[in-house]
Amino acid sequence: MKHKHIRVSDYKSSECSGCGLCEAECPAHCITMQTDSLGYIRPQIDDARCVDCGLCARRCVIVQPMPTSMPLSTYAAVRKDSDRIGESSSGGAFAAIAESLMADGWLVAGCVMEEDLVPRHVIASDMHTLRRMYGSKYVQSDTRGIYAAVKKALADGHKVLFSGTPCQVAAVKRHVGEHDRLATIEVICHGVPNLMMFHSSLRSICRHADISRFVFRDKAQGWTFNNLIVCKDGRKIQVNHRLSSYMTYFLEGETYRDSCYACPYACAQRGADITIGDFWGVVGQRPDLKDKINVGRGVSCMTVNTEKGMGITEQSRLLRFEVSYDDIRHGNEPLNHPSRHTSKRDVILSLWAKDRDWSEVDGYWKKHDMRLVYRLWSRVPTALQHRIRLLLGKR
């Protein structure tokens, strides 16, 4: 069948974020999100069922980006009940906002790490599920069904807070349209590796152990990127991010999907009601806040981008300190431009493509990017690490 309209399958790989909106929008239900040869999810079209409407391409939030605008106000933020900041990756801004709204009867849609170690977007109506959304997940989440679920919840009269990456926020807004009962929070996103990479990297660390839980940002090790692996036999394995090939190449931007390096939402203008992330460099940019915030517990940066977002943050249990947007952008590259990679990415993906076995990549990392200084640093007590970072203005 000769198609007259451009379809999402006609796009280059750099023009697909894997958000899954096209699957939700397709009136013929002929699109499914499937993994490509490298494990990244992309839309696949069943030509036998396609009605050639072209809606998938017209609704795409990458080729046809949603409107964005400059923030109204910008803050350093931490939740008031500081004893619970440890549940979150940074200052607990999302947790404080979501808990406040849930107490008022809102539903919250966001990403949880399921027992099978697959990050999925779900809708929470209870605190137990909501708390599973806390913390970073440095791998692309499964959004199948979430946009339709949010649309139905709104139609049923519920208020919904949706949390996700900028492209996921754009997708839900396009799917449901302008809606007074929908509020959105986007995380500052550098880019996403894929699930196969993540699972394979875990196997390279724990070859003979079953994993029951994985924490990307273990606050017991300080405000860092250090991981925690909890095995089903009860063992706990702390992984310093400098000693992890997966985290090394994630933080260096070498393993993201192609679209992340050309993301239209990686800029100063924001698309959600609220944008949150880590306030990296808060002490260097605003040394006066060191005496007002326990920086060692983590600090969120927050941009409030709409009047709706302003009303939500004002009713939340947050300590907010006004800062300049430049202070926040200084330590957050995606608020300035899309992430970048080096020629090393081609080598990493080539090794990964052989058998989709992360041990190949891990071997390359040990030979070329593992440093003795990282091993030495990992042995420094957490409290001393924090003091050194403060002295150097790295927090």
Side-chain angles (χ1 to χ4, degrees):
M1 179 171 70
K2 183 177 180 180
H3 291 272
K4 299 177 183 179
H5 296 99
I6 294 176
R7 306 182 302 170
V8 289
S9 58
D10 298 322
Y11 292 159
K12 296 180 293 185
S13 60
S14 61
E15 296 174 315
C16 174
S17 70
C19 72
L21 176 62
C22 54
E23 181 180 48
E25 292 278 327
C26 179
H29 305 291
C30 70
I31 300 178
T32 56
M33 302 302 292
Q34 299 180 17
T35 57
D36 64 13
S37 61
L38 291 174
Y40 298 104
I41 55 173
R42 305 192 189 281
Q44 297 295 316
I45 297 178
D46 182 348
D47 286 331
R49 298 171 62 186
C50 179
V51 296
D52 190 27
C53 66
L55 186 64
C56 56
R58 294 198 304 274
R59 301 287 282 173
C60 176
V61 296
I62 300 300
V63 177
Q64 304 291 338
M66 289 288 285
T68 56
S69 60
M70 292 296 289
L72 300 179
S73 300
T74 52
Y75 302 95
V78 295
R79 62 182 302 166
K80 289 183 178 179
D81 39 352
S82 59
D83 58 313
R84 294 185 56 200
I85 290 178
E87 299 176 12
S88 303
S89 292
S90 49
F94 168 74
I97 291 168
E99 288 175 17
S100 173
L101 293 181
M102 183 169 281
D104 284 342
W106 287 57
L107 303 178
V108 180
C111 181
V112 303
M113 185 68 81
E114 298 282 28
E115 290 183 2
D116 56 1
L117 300 183
V118 174
R120 290 187 176 91
H121 261 71
V122 300
I123 293 184
S125 59
D126 60 90
M127 283 300 303
H128 173 72
T129 305
L130 177 61
R131 286 180 176 174
R132 293 172 59 208
M133 296 179 185
Y134 300 170
S136 304
K137 291 91 177 173
Y138 297 127
V139 58
Q140 187 156 29
S141 66
D142 184 344
T143 59
R144 284 177 294 182
I146 193 62
Y147 306 129
V150 170
K151 190 172 187 177
K152 183 179 185 304
L154 293 170
D156 290 342
H158 295 287
K159 295 180 180 179
V160 181
L161 173 68
F162 181 94
S163 170
T165 62
C167 61
Q168 292 168 345
V169 166
V172 76
K173 290 174 67 176
R174 180 155 286 170
H175 189 66
V176 306
E178 290 295 327
H179 208 295
D180 291 340
R181 293 195 301 276
L182 175 69
T184 55
I185 291 182
E186 62 187 5
V187 294
I188 298 174
C189 176
H190 292 258
V192 288
N194 65 63
L195 187 62
M196 287 186 178
M197 286 181 172
F198 172 54
H199 282 177
S200 185
S201 73
L202 291 182
R203 289 193 295 272
S204 72
I205 298 173
C206 304
R207 293 188 179 277
H208 304 294
D210 291 328
I211 300 172
S212 62
R213 190 162 69 95
F214 183 88
V215 181
F216 277 101
R217 303 275 296 276
D218 177 26
K219 273 291 185 68
Q221 301 179 67
W223 183 26
T224 68
F225 290 98
N226 295 340
N227 309 150
L228 174 67
I229 299 172
V230 181
C231 301
K232 291 184 178 179
D233 62 10
R235 287 183 298 128
K236 294 183 178 181
I237 303 172
Q238 292 183 329
V239 181
N240 187 287
H241 69 281
R242 294 289 190 183
L243 304 181
S244 162
S245 55
Y246 182 89
M247 290 302 298
T248 295
Y249 291 140
F250 168 80
L251 293 170
E252 292 181 356
E254 304 291 2
T255 53
Y256 309 153
R257 58 184 301 126
D258 291 342
S259 61
C260 299
Y261 306 106
C263 177
Y265 304 104
C267 59
Q269 293 77 25
R270 311 313 310 152
D273 294 305
I274 302 166
T275 304
I276 57 174
D278 287 276
F279 200 151
W280 298 123
V282 59
V283 173
Q285 296 302 112
R286 286 291 302 272
D288 58 300
L289 294 181
K290 185 170 61 173
D291 298 325
K292 301 174 183 178
I293 301 174
N294 186 340
V295 176
R297 292 180 178 268
V299 184
S300 296
C301 63
M302 181 172 69
T303 78
V304 181
N305 311 314
T306 66
E307 292 297 338
K308 182 188 293 183
M310 188 65 72
I312 288 171
T313 57
E314 287 176 349
Q315 74 179 49
S316 302
R317 288 183 53 77
L318 280 172
L319 291 175
R320 298 178 298 161
F321 303 89
E322 287 195 55
V323 298
S324 75
Y325 195 20
D326 286 343
D327 289 339
I328 294 174
R329 292 173 68 186
H330 179 79
N332 282 284
E333 181 183 73
L335 299 180
N336 302 298
H337 53 73
S339 292
R340 297 160 177 164
H341 64 82
T342 68
S343 58
K344 189 183 300 181
R345 181 174 186 262
D346 293 333
V347 178
I348 293 169
L349 292 187
S350 177
L351 291 169
W352 165 247
K354 288 181 180 179
D355 299 301
R356 290 193 291 198
D357 182 350
W358 192 259
S359 61
E360 295 280 347
V361 179
D362 194 58
Y364 175 83
W365 168 79
K366 288 176 179 175
K367 183 177 181 180
H368 297 277
D369 293 304
M370 178 59 205
R371 301 286 185 268
L372 176 60
V373 66
Y374 297 160
R375 290 193 179 278
L376 296 175
W377 175 254
S378 69
R379 296 178 182 274
V380 177
T382 299
L384 181 56
Q385 287 184 10
H386 174 62
R387 288 198 291 271
I388 293 172
R389 290 189 180 104
L390 285 179
L391 288 172
L392 297 176
K394 299 297 184 180
R395 285 291 183 269

